[in-house]
Amino acid sequence: MIEATSDRHPAPTGFLARFVFSRDHKVIAKQFLGLGLAFLAVGGFMAMLIRWQMAHPEAPVPVVGRALFGASGGIISPAAYTSLFTMHGTIMIFFAVTPILIGAFGNFCIPLMIGARDMAFPTLNALSVWTMAAATGTLTASFFVPLGAPQAGWTAYATLSTAVGSPGLGQTLWVVAIYLNGVSSIMGAVNYITTIIRERAPGMTWFRLPLTVWGFLMTSILNALFVPVLAAGMVLLFFDRVFGTQFFIAGSTIKGGGDPILYQHLFWLFGHPEVYILILPAWGIVSDLLSFFARKPAYGYRVTVGTFVAVTALSSLVYGHHMFTTGMSPLLGESFMVLTMIISVPAVLLFLNWLGTLWRGAMHLDTPMLYCLGLVFTFGVGGLTGLFLADITADMYLHDTYFVVGHFHLIMAAAVLLAIFAGVHFWFPKMFGRMMSEPLGKLHFWLTIVTLNIVFGGQLLIGYAGMQRRLYDPSVYEFLRPLLPLNRIISNAAFVLGASQLIFVVNFFWSLARGHVAPQNPWEVGTLEWTVSSPPPHDNFDEIPVVAHGPHELGNPLVRERLGRDWLAQSDAADVLAPDEGTA
Amino acid sequence: MPIGPPRDASLDGHLVDGAFRYLTVATAICLAIVVLVMLVALLFHRQRGARVAHYTHGDRRRDHVLTLMVAIAMFLGIDAVLAGRSLGHLETRFWRYPDHDPNAVRVEVTARQWSWTFRLAGPDGRFGTRDDVVTLNELRVPTGRPIYLKLRSKDVIHSLYLPSFRTKIDAVPGLTTRLWFEAREAGHTELGCAQHCGVSHYKMHGDLYATPDADWRAWQQRAADDARLRFDAKSDTALEAWDWDQG
Amino acid sequence: MTSAALPDARRDAATATVGMTIFLGATTMLFAALFFAYAVMRAQAPAWPPAGQAPLPRGALGVNTLVLLAASLALRAARAAARRDALASARRRAWGALALGVGFLAAQVIVWRALVGAGVGPSSGIYGSVFFAISGLHALHVVGGLMALALVATFWTRGASAARRLGLCALYWDFVLVVWLLFYVGACLR
Ligand code: HEA
Ligand code: HEA
Ligand code: CUA
Ligand SMILES: [Cu+2]
């Protein structure tokens, strides 16, 4: 049941209560993190298999081929390849990035950053993680059922995803898994929004919220509003598959029937907000971190908040740009095109604020900052390629080619992934009480950023040359055969990229056990989570802090003069910045 | 080996290529500015010695006006120019279907897992007669005349992809979609399916042959004669005619 | 601005209401999407109800609507009683609301069976598809509300928290009622 808490509850004892069925937001964050990282590894492994097929069609996969694809002699079969990209996309979006970025960081940061003892509804929070676990279980089960894993792509377009195109239990389980995943997201969203509205510490006004929290707030609003639309689509698809309804199965002229395009409307009315659901937390994190590591306030804080709100408001109005080639009415298509282009205005403003934050700063190139700078670049390239796709004439050629794949990987698999790495490095000390290794982190960064750009930049080129996505064997097309060398280069870069991730894994576990013990405030910044010990005590704050300052009071000359440091905690006394003789 | 799209064989494909080229140049300039700013910051605005960051919240009116001006300039320079150009091309070219053009060649395209069927009217110019020419995974068109396609699907969604003509259009069960193009030069190009339609999506490949009109007419005559000979009234696809205005 | 200054109980009540409101916003979007699907299906059908399909039983569905309305009123009465600290009568009324809710579900099942008997089922065509999908999903939401209400009615202790929880139930119940009314008026009557 929904139950609000404000009073402190005693720290639970016993292993199960503390680590498994915990209602503590910090423990739940770690549960989401573990689950998400595990699935990130699975999804990444699948990407390696996809790249193997693009580089060496018809050749058995080395090492793991026999075990995974025994029936076809270690060669990836068309059916297996179809399942691979379907599950790669599904896992990465719903079961890797969503749990890590929103589940883990959202849970960990929101209460600590706003000065609350926990989420507003701790039980609901625990329920959310367990619903997510049930969803992952269902998804995993879909691999092992008769007629094989889901094969309709992560978008699961009807009619292909109905019983007409995909008989068998696998696709049904996929539908259930996505539905459960959505339920978990909605629970999280209700919790996050309520917590941010109701549980802010005294003095934590809306415009003193760290931008990270703003990112989570906007993401949660989109989750609460648009995941239900996906749920509706999944429910109808489920009914079509199981109860023989025909929402998405076209009828004949005599007998009225359903409409496959209706599915696309429902899916993308969710799907486009979803891409902003994934990017908004990343925007929030990078906006804060750029300021922290440039030792300079975030440039144009209020404008940045405004861009978050604008993008959130616009996000549902542009979804039709995924459907330009479905033969939609000209007026509708043109409106979607123009609206999509308008969304680039807030994006550019946000981008300029990032550059403004860096400009004339005193940058510390610690690992989290490196990831953030990488993010700025890859998001720039990825976002600008979005403009190509927004243009209907260009999209008629580029739609469903690797250009689209390159576009969204540059944002989701480069920018968002880098935000995840930045966040893990940045909050690791607060989460686990130890620092991650800087040398290993830097090595991982450089290997990752170089290979990422080769892989996803290469995909843009391949797409420009006309290669369709979801193509098991491009050599069927004569005009795609010359692309094989480039595909090989991309694949080799992807393998190096995949191997480099092992450095991150090593760094993660090594630091967990052996990292330097973290001080309370290793990065010397002022947001509230750094005013408590690392890791924070059970109830976060011995006493609820009183907030007197914004989150980015860095490099303020007055503070330097009076306190002798270049940062100011949000909960430092208000009179530090008093105009007259303040107390030092 | 240069990487790029296949040779443009169409009348209007250069409009697509033009949009792409404009975007490439414009976004490359933006990106160059971004990279330049970042490089300068990285080289000169680093923590070194006693360097102190410039303290500003960037929220003075001046800052807001500056960022807003850049954003608007970028919107006008890239998006607005492009929208103006593309909307015009859509209205006057791509979406102006040759409904009343007697010169247009009409084709009924049926997509199914995993093949394309093309039905052309015989020399009588009418669908649903014994001389309809039906080809599998092979589309023959004349150059210099608008080709007007209508598409339907028998099972799942497919998408007819003509890379050398810079265009594609979905074939959706329960709907009739349409597309038109014109071949500028004779020759062989490829057509394919762009929308994931199941395990053998990758095999849904075909050929497009464009020939000068006279040659094409000769072929059509031969094929129609053939069709008349082989006509089987009992086949349920023997006579199909969609919602063309057959006048 | 921030709510730290309020007394705990009122603070919790307000927080719970905020949470419930957001949750109902999400659920609204779910049904909005379903109604959108309904509208698309109906707009594309050549005739509605399609030729040869028995129309929906308006009368029986109207009776069910009244039952749902009665449940909602009973729940409001229960909350009012709880606010007055008249716990015994609040409990009676809550169980009454529960019984009415179960009655609504039973009556829906009767309608469903009659429809299937008349040849309109989930798989009989798009007409049956939309009716069964939306009324079925609505029924699931009723079941959820009933379970919550049963929990509240069984486990409550103090008057204040009973009133608060009954208030949340009543809010949810009103929502379920409005969704049904919209569906009944928009889909069954017209
Ligand atoms: C987090 C993910 C994310 C984000 C943020 C975006 C952002 C954008 N996307 Fe993308 N998109 C996806 C993920 C994302 N997308 C995915 C997953 C798909 C494919 C789904 C599928 O089919 O499987 C997709 C597909 C997709 C399509 C459909 C393509 C097709 O299928 O044919 C389109 C078309 O308009 C599009 C457009 C855009 C635009 C205009 C933006 C804009 O928001 C971008 C705005 C950003 C900028 C404009 C750049 C920033 C500004 C600068 C760098 C300026 C600097 C300049 C100076 C200083 C002068 N996207
Ligand atoms: C956030 C989402 C995300 C991410 C991160 C990625 C990451 C990658 N993707 Fe993926 N991709 C999608 C989302 C994503 N992708 C989607 C939505 C599709 C479309 C599917 C469809 O068509 O339906 C797609 C499709 C897709 C294709 C096209 C397939 C096709 O159309 O035929 C290709 C091909 O090259 C590809 C490649 C890659 C590669 C090389 C990576 C690399 O970046 C991977 C590198 C990462 C790793 C190797 C994992 C790292 C692991 C860790 C860091 C784990 C740490 C663990 C512990 C500490 C325990 N992806
Ligand atoms: Cu047909 Cu892909
Ligand atoms: Cu989109």
Side-chain angles (χ1 to χ4, degrees), chain B residues 48-77:
Chain B
R48 283 205 190 88
R51 180 182 168 81
V52 176
H54 172 68
Y55 178 75
T56 170
H57 280 276
D59 54 6
R60 288 158 307 177
R61 163 149 305 211
R62 234 182 60 200
D63 305 318
H64 291 175
V65 170
L66 183 74
T67 46
L68 200 64
M69 297 252 286
V70 177
I72 290 176
M74 215 186 121
F75 180 76
L76 293 180

Side-chain angles (χ1 to χ4, degrees), chain A residues 84 113 147 180 193 195 205 285 332 426-427 497 536 539 543 582:
Chain A
L84 274 177
M113 284 186 143
L147 294 181
L180 289 175
I193 302 174
T195 305
T205 58
I285 291 172
L332 209 57
F426 184 73
W427 281 297
L497 170 65
D539 270 334
E543 210 162 298

Side-chain angles (χ1 to χ4, degrees), chain C residues 131-173:
Chain C
F131 179 74
F132 276 88
I134 297 184
S135 65
L137 214 62
H138 176 263
L140 278 182
H141 281 78
V142 172
V143 170
L146 287 177
M147 291 195 331
L149 183 57
L151 280 178
V152 170
T154 313
F155 292 114
W156 78 43
T157 44
R158 290 171 295 120
S161 74
R164 193 181 84 212
R165 293 176 186 178
L166 279 176
L168 292 180
C169 286
L171 195 59
Y172 180 78
W173 206 265

